[in-house]
Amino acid sequence: MKSKMLKQDIMKAIHELSQFGQDECGGMTRLLYDEAWVKAQNHMKKMMEEGGLDTSYDAVGNLFGRLEGTAHKDQTILIGSHIDTVKNGGMYDGQFGIVAGLIAASYLKRNFGQPLRNIEIVSISEEEGSRFPLAFWGTKNLLGLVGREEVLNVYDENGVAFAEAMHQAGFDFRPEDEPLRQDILAFLEIHIEQGCVLEKERKPLGIVSNIVGQRRFSVELTGESNHAGTTPMGYRRDAVHAATEMISNILNRGQSYGDPLVVTVGKIDVKPNVVNVVPGQLEFSIDTRHPDKKMLEDFTKEIHQLVEETAEKHGLKFCLDMWMDTDPVPMDEGLTQIIEAECVLNGVDFLKMNSGAGHDAQLMANHVPTALIFVPSHRGISHSPHEHTDGRDLALGVHTLIKTLYQLAYKEETGIVESIA
Amino acid sequence: MKSKMLKQDIMKAIHELSQFGQDECGGMTRLLYDEAWVKAQNHMKKMMEEGGLDTSYDAVGNLFGRLEGTAHKDQTILIGSHIDTVKNGGMYDGQFGIVAGLIAASYLKRNFGQPLRNIEIVSISEEEGSRFPLAFWGTKNLLGLVGREEVLNVYDENGVAFAEAMHQAGFDFRPEDEPLRQDILAFLEIHIEQGCVLEKERKPLGIVSNIVGQRRFSVELTGESNHAGTTPMGYRRDAVHAATEMISNILNRGQSYGDPLVVTVGKIDVKPNVVNVVPGQLEFSIDTRHPDKKMLEDFTKEIHQLVEETAEKHGLKFCLDMWMDTDPVPMDEGLTQIIEAECVLNGVDFLKMNSGAGHDAQLMANHVPTALIFVPSHRGISHSPHEHTDGRDLALGVHTLIKTLYQLAYKEETGIVESIA
């Protein structure tokens, strides 16, 4: 396997696909069912066919490229990621995972012929939620987790109804009587890290143990707006004074938990937000993530206590609302061990890590053995035209995928088959 | 002197004047040189004439009502405040001070005839800076502190040039060769407190010792925006983390100085201000006030140190800009003592206090002996339709003004004359 050729193939495929959705700001904007999206999926279909795969769309526009197994036609190893981008995103988020699967499958076919089990590449229709206020449409359809009723009153920012956009792109809802696939033995996803850990730790590859659970809160504080000159400090009910104490303590407390807990206060809105008025109202957000649900629960209690005590101390009313609570999702141990073993065998200096961001893999993992591989993101940048991963790292990712797929699809016995037996 | 009649006269005059500038939101909007302003000044002129005063406008529209002295025509006791309001302001801010002077002068004339020295009421054209980005136009003209060049490129929010608005209202710039008045022996202003100190301390009257000095700063922090899920706490340069620590410490430190120092962080702007992004930029304001310049200087040093240390600790760049620095202004001691003595004599339970807000008196005080009297503001509310002062408190203020004016204008010897001799 020549890494340089692999790298060339990857960069060629990524640049080809990146024709579709280039925006005026130097980035990629390819939103579910829009013109660029349709062109990208059709081009991907062509690339899959050129790679020797049999292609098909499902009802909602997930695209599959299949390498038929010779021995176990009822067992499929599925590899893929999403074809859509955020607005003004980069060239690697999502589409690299599809390209990687395609190049790995083609390589295996060229060198080893048909596999024993089916290998399927999936170009998932949507994950980002950038066009409609709804994410994971592709994977949720694959798993039968979503239907017509969920998008009934869903519109994009131009007022286009979800179903109308889907119909215009040539797709439709999944027939209600269509049985769910029972043949998927394992799901593999390879994705850019979207963080700076691999780069900082100088590791070319990450193998994910857990996708973190997330809790998001909004905190509303109500004090009293007053004249900044004529209201002595002791008579104030200053929302900024209380909030800054709360936020500073919440972030310090989060930091003292140590990795992998993260906590972010990304949004602060002060009212009236005027230089010479003691602020009477303030709302801020809290986003906290951890791979262990118990830790999230413990930290939530601490947040509640800090908010309550500080509001009381400053004579403020507060409202703490937890509006998002998703559980951590562990990746499959057996599948992950196969990847690790291949890395060790091939001298790949990998890092076992958590994913702080959400991925298609996190939905798949609740239904089939799933693994998630990361390649480094330069400076941790993602969802930006500046998103970048070194070609050598991309190639190493595909190389690892090839080795893993060979184990899973070309050998009679695999760890993964045993683990789900 | 019957307090009930005084109260009726005051309320009648305030309600009459408040016809001019009533807005759709239940408040007063009377901006420099607008239609309501012209009508209000003309009505005030009529009221002054009915009260037995000789009226005149100066070039820029400051209106004077004069009670000619019989013995000292070169000595004038000037009493007044401003006729303009903020947008959607209240009925008391500014105009009460003019009405109070007028009622006091009329009362004195009715009961004691012409004074020895001139008493003049001034309805100052503008103080609030609400129409044009420029404040104290009236007093600055009175003192010769402003000219044509300062308003050359000054427009209101509808694009009307300052000079055009002035000409439309029938006024013009002060002739450059017009000599400044040398006859003003003292300036008295009575105004609502715009704070809650008198109400909380249950005092019906305040006598101001100092108008506080103000310093305003903006602090800009630059860290790095990152993904809230994929960036471990140790790799962050979080502008909110640094800012909340700074702000909380600055406000705590300010509080520990004790009264009369006040410090306010009224405005916070986070970038990008998104729930799931570690915020890379933040700008906040600081407004601090104290009647002692040395204390402001000391506190400024502490602010600088807190900002610098905290920015460094969090790995952030900072920019601290002091964009306002006005010195404290003491009121005249001799004049203030006369008012105090009258209060003691008449059993008025007054509070010696500082003014945390700016007033026409603060400009006048640098040129002539000046005193400032406060009446309580219910719940400290001002610049709002909910602004309110009890009629009895208004009457007590006018009563105090009458007593003081009698001392200053009807007696041969006054403390004030001696103090500036």
Side-chain angles (χ1 to χ4, degrees):
Chain A
M1 198 179 327
K2 291 192 176 133
S3 164
K4 203 176 162 187
M5 273 188 60
L6 216 49
K7 188 176 142 184
Q8 281 171 357
D9 288 351
I10 296 164
M11 293 317 298
K12 185 169 169 285
I14 284 182
H15 283 288
E16 263 184 54
L17 261 185
S18 299
Q19 296 171 72
F20 310 109
Q22 283 189 6
D23 59 33
E24 288 163 0
C25 312
M28 298 286 301
T29 300
R30 188 196 292 152
L31 311 180
L32 178 62
Y33 300 137
D34 75 3
E35 199 186 324
W37 180 95
V38 170
K39 285 185 180 165
Q41 281 291 62
N42 286 338
H43 190 79
M44 176 53 82
K45 186 165 179 285
K46 197 170 135 251
M47 285 163 72
M48 285 173 169
E49 285 159 4
E50 286 167 2
L53 309 185
D54 302 325
T55 60
S56 62
Y57 278 111
D58 71 3
V60 301
N62 290 315
L63 170 67
F64 298 86
R66 183 175 169 99
L67 206 56
E68 185 93 358
T70 53
H72 306 288
K73 292 186 195 299
D74 59 339
Q75 295 181 356
T76 301
I77 311 299
L78 190 66
I79 314 108
S81 193
H82 58 96
I83 192 78
D84 70 318
T85 71
V86 296
K87 283 176 195 152
N88 197 228
M91 291 204 306
Y92 301 90
D93 189 341
Q95 70 181 19
F96 167 62
I98 313 167
V99 163
L102 168 59
I103 289 172
S106 309
Y107 177 91
L108 287 166
K109 187 184 178 187
R110 278 201 308 279
N111 288 276
F112 306 102
Q114 294 297 116
L116 297 180
R117 297 179 185 84
N118 315 313
I119 294 176
E120 260 184 56
I121 316 307
V122 57
S123 177
I124 297 169
S125 56
E126 186 271 347
E127 183 252 16
E128 298 283 9
S130 296
R131 178 166 179 185
F132 297 96
L134 169 117
F136 296 111
W137 173 248
T139 307
K140 280 184 173 170
N141 268 284
L142 206 60
L143 297 166
L145 302 175
V146 73
R148 191 179 290 269
E149 57 286 2
E150 274 91 349
V151 296
L152 213 59
N153 291 308
V154 172
Y155 299 87
D156 71 6
E157 62 178 25
N158 298 314
V160 179
F162 190 95
E164 190 189 332
M166 181 165 65
H167 293 150
Q168 276 180 1
F171 299 101
D172 205 344
F173 293 106
R174 192 172 62 87
E176 278 176 27
D177 54 357
E178 187 182 271
L180 290 173
R181 290 180 63 164
Q182 302 296 328
D183 63 311
I184 302 172
L185 198 66
F187 177 68
L188 296 175
E189 183 172 9
I190 184 164
H191 201 280
I192 57 166
E193 182 200 344
Q194 302 180 269
C196 58
V197 175
L198 289 173
E199 188 171 83
K200 297 253 186 195
E201 303 285 326
R202 298 175 181 277
K203 301 281 185 182
L205 197 95
I207 301 176
V208 173
S209 315
N210 289 282
I211 296 177
V212 298
Q214 292 187 32
R215 290 186 166 194
R216 293 191 188 168
F217 308 84
S218 72
V219 182
E220 273 179 51
L221 301 173
T222 308
E224 193 173 35
S225 288
N226 286 117
H227 192 295
T230 60
T231 317
M233 299 302 276
Y235 292 154
R236 298 182 176 201
R237 290 165 59 219
D238 179 344
V240 160
H241 201 170
T244 52
E245 189 175 321
M246 268 175 213
I247 295 169
S248 169
N249 284 333
I250 289 168
L251 295 174
N252 287 340
R253 192 73 198 102
Q255 211 161 30
S256 76
Y257 268 66
D259 291 332
L261 186 134
V262 288
V263 55
T264 306
V265 173
K267 195 167 190 298
I268 301 179
D269 293 304
V270 183
K271 277 184 193 165
N273 213 34
V274 168
V275 173
N276 60 349
V277 176
V278 179
Q281 285 185 292
L282 189 146
E283 188 174 344
F284 68 91
S285 66
I286 308 172
D287 171 319
T288 184
R289 310 187 192 195
H290 199 287
D292 180 348
K293 188 174 179 177
K294 172 74 170 55
M295 298 297 270
L296 280 179
E297 285 167 350
D298 289 351
F299 190 47
T300 300
K301 278 182 204 150
E302 295 207 46
I303 288 172
H304 198 100
Q305 199 181 337
L306 280 169
V307 169
E308 188 172 356
E309 282 172 6
T310 315
E312 196 174 327
K313 175 178 155 191
H314 288 268
L316 268 66
K317 288 183 199 157
F318 75 96
C319 173
L320 175 69
D321 175 35
M322 181 166 75
W323 53 270
M324 184 193 281
D325 180 16
T326 61
D327 283 346
V329 178
M331 297 295 99
D332 183 72
E333 271 189 41
L335 195 53
T336 297
Q337 277 166 14
I338 293 170
I339 303 170
E340 286 181 52
E342 287 303 321
C343 284
V344 171
L345 216 63
N346 292 282
V348 176
D349 188 17
F350 68 92
L351 183 73
K352 282 293 288 288
M353 64 188 300
N354 295 302
S355 170
H359 293 288
D360 290 303
Q362 98 192 48
L363 271 78
M364 294 298 291
N366 288 323
H367 300 265
V368 295
T370 293
L372 177 58
I373 298 170
F374 278 163
V375 291
S377 290
H378 181 50
R379 295 185 54 214
I381 297 166
S382 75
H383 291 185
S384 153
H386 300 296
E387 191 175 276
H388 179 71
T389 302
D390 192 277
R392 278 171 306 182
D393 294 333
L394 298 175
L396 190 69
V398 174
H399 183 266
T400 305
L401 205 55
I402 289 171
K403 293 284 179 183
T404 305
L405 276 178
Y406 184 79
Q407 286 298 319
L408 297 174
Y410 283 83
K411 292 199 173 177
E412 194 56 48
E413 295 293 326
T414 72
I416 187 62
V417 177
E418 285 154 20
S419 85
I420 60 155
Chain B
M1 198 178 330
K2 290 193 177 135
S3 164
K4 202 174 163 189
M5 273 189 59
L6 217 46
K7 188 174 142 186
Q8 280 171 356
D9 287 350
I10 297 164
M11 293 318 297
K12 183 167 170 286
I14 285 184
H15 283 287
E16 262 184 57
L17 260 185
S18 300
Q19 296 171 70
F20 310 109
Q22 282 189 8
D23 60 32
E24 288 163 358
C25 312
M28 298 286 302
T29 300
R30 187 196 293 152
L31 310 181
L32 177 62
Y33 300 137
D34 74 2
E35 199 187 323
W37 180 95
V38 171
K39 285 185 178 164
Q41 280 293 62
N42 286 338
H43 190 79
M44 176 54 81
K45 187 165 179 286
K46 196 170 136 249
M47 284 164 72
M48 284 173 168
E49 285 159 4
E50 285 167 3
L53 309 186
D54 302 324
T55 60
S56 62
Y57 278 109
D58 71 4
V60 301
N62 290 316
L63 169 67
F64 299 85
R66 184 176 168 99
L67 207 55
E68 185 92 357
T70 52
H72 306 286
K73 293 186 195 299
D74 59 342
Q75 294 180 357
T76 302
I77 310 297
L78 190 65
I79 315 109
S81 193
H82 58 96
I83 192 79
D84 70 320
T85 71
V86 297
K87 283 175 194 152
N88 195 227
M91 291 203 308
Y92 301 89
D93 188 341
Q95 71 181 16
F96 166 62
I98 313 166
V99 163
L102 169 58
I103 288 173
S106 309
Y107 178 91
L108 286 166
K109 186 181 179 189
R110 278 200 310 278
N111 288 276
F112 305 102
Q114 294 296 116
L116 298 179
R117 296 179 185 83
N118 315 313
I119 294 177
E120 259 183 58
I121 314 307
V122 57
S123 176
I124 298 171
S125 55
E126 187 270 350
E127 183 253 16
E128 297 284 8
S130 296
R131 177 166 180 186
F132 297 98
L134 171 118
F136 297 111
W137 174 249
T139 308
K140 281 183 173 171
N141 268 284
L142 205 60
L143 297 167
L145 302 175
V146 74
R148 191 180 291 267
E149 56 286 2
E150 273 92 349
V151 297
L152 212 57
N153 291 306
V154 172
Y155 299 85
D156 72 5
E157 62 178 26
N158 298 315
V160 179
F162 191 96
E164 191 190 330
M166 182 164 64
H167 293 150
Q168 277 180 1
F171 299 100
D172 205 342
F173 294 105
R174 191 173 61 86
E176 278 175 28
D177 55 358
E178 188 182 271
L180 290 174
R181 290 181 62 162
Q182 303 295 331
D183 62 312
I184 303 171
L185 199 65
F187 177 70
L188 296 176
E189 183 172 8
I190 185 164
H191 201 280
I192 57 166
E193 180 199 346
Q194 303 181 268
C196 58
V197 174
L198 289 173
E199 188 171 84
K200 297 253 185 194
E201 303 286 327
R202 298 175 182 278
K203 301 281 185 179
L205 196 94
I207 300 175
V208 173
S209 314
N210 288 282
I211 296 178
V212 297
Q214 294 187 32
R215 291 187 165 193
R216 294 190 188 171
F217 308 84
S218 70
V219 181
E220 272 178 52
L221 301 173
T222 308
E224 192 173 36
S225 288
N226 286 117
H227 191 295
T230 61
T231 316
M233 299 302 276
Y235 293 154
R236 298 183 176 199
R237 288 165 59 217
D238 179 344
V240 161
H241 200 168
T244 52
E245 190 175 321
M246 269 174 212
I247 295 168
S248 168
N249 284 334
I250 289 167
L251 295 174
N252 287 340
R253 192 71 197 103
Q255 210 161 31
S256 76
Y257 268 66
D259 290 334
L261 187 134
V262 288
V263 54
T264 305
V265 173
K267 194 166 189 299
I268 302 180
D269 293 303
V270 182
K271 277 184 192 165
N273 213 35
V274 168
V275 173
N276 59 349
V277 177
V278 180
Q281 286 186 290
L282 190 145
E283 188 174 342
F284 67 91
S285 66
I286 307 172
D287 171 319
T288 183
R289 310 188 192 196
H290 198 287
D292 179 347
K293 187 174 180 177
K294 173 74 170 55
M295 297 297 271
L296 281 179
E297 286 167 349
D298 290 349
F299 190 47
T300 299
K301 277 181 204 150
E302 295 207 47
I303 288 172
H304 198 102
Q305 199 181 339
L306 280 169
V307 168
E308 188 171 358
E309 283 171 5
T310 315
E312 196 174 326
K313 176 178 156 192
H314 289 267
L316 268 66
K317 287 182 197 157
F318 75 95
C319 174
L320 175 70
D321 176 34
M322 181 166 77
W323 54 270
M324 185 194 279
D325 180 16
T326 61
D327 284 346
V329 179
M331 296 296 99
D332 184 74
E333 271 187 43
L335 196 52
T336 299
Q337 277 167 12
I338 293 170
I339 303 170
E340 286 181 51
E342 287 304 319
C343 285
V344 171
L345 217 63
N346 292 281
V348 176
D349 188 17
F350 67 95
L351 183 73
K352 281 294 288 284
M353 65 190 298
N354 295 303
S355 170
H359 293 286
D360 289 303
Q362 98 192 47
L363 270 77
M364 294 298 291
N366 288 322
H367 301 265
V368 296
T370 294
L372 178 58
I373 298 170
F374 278 163
V375 290
S377 290
H378 181 51
R379 294 186 55 215
I381 296 166
S382 76
H383 291 184
S384 153
H386 301 296
E387 191 176 277
H388 178 73
T389 302
D390 193 278
R392 278 171 305 182
D393 293 333
L394 298 175
L396 190 68
V398 174
H399 183 265
T400 304
L401 206 56
I402 290 171
K403 293 284 179 183
T404 305
L405 276 177
Y406 185 80
Q407 286 300 318
L408 296 174
Y410 283 83
K411 293 200 171 176
E412 193 57 48
E413 295 294 322
T414 72
I416 187 63
V417 177
E418 285 154 21
S419 86
I420 62 155

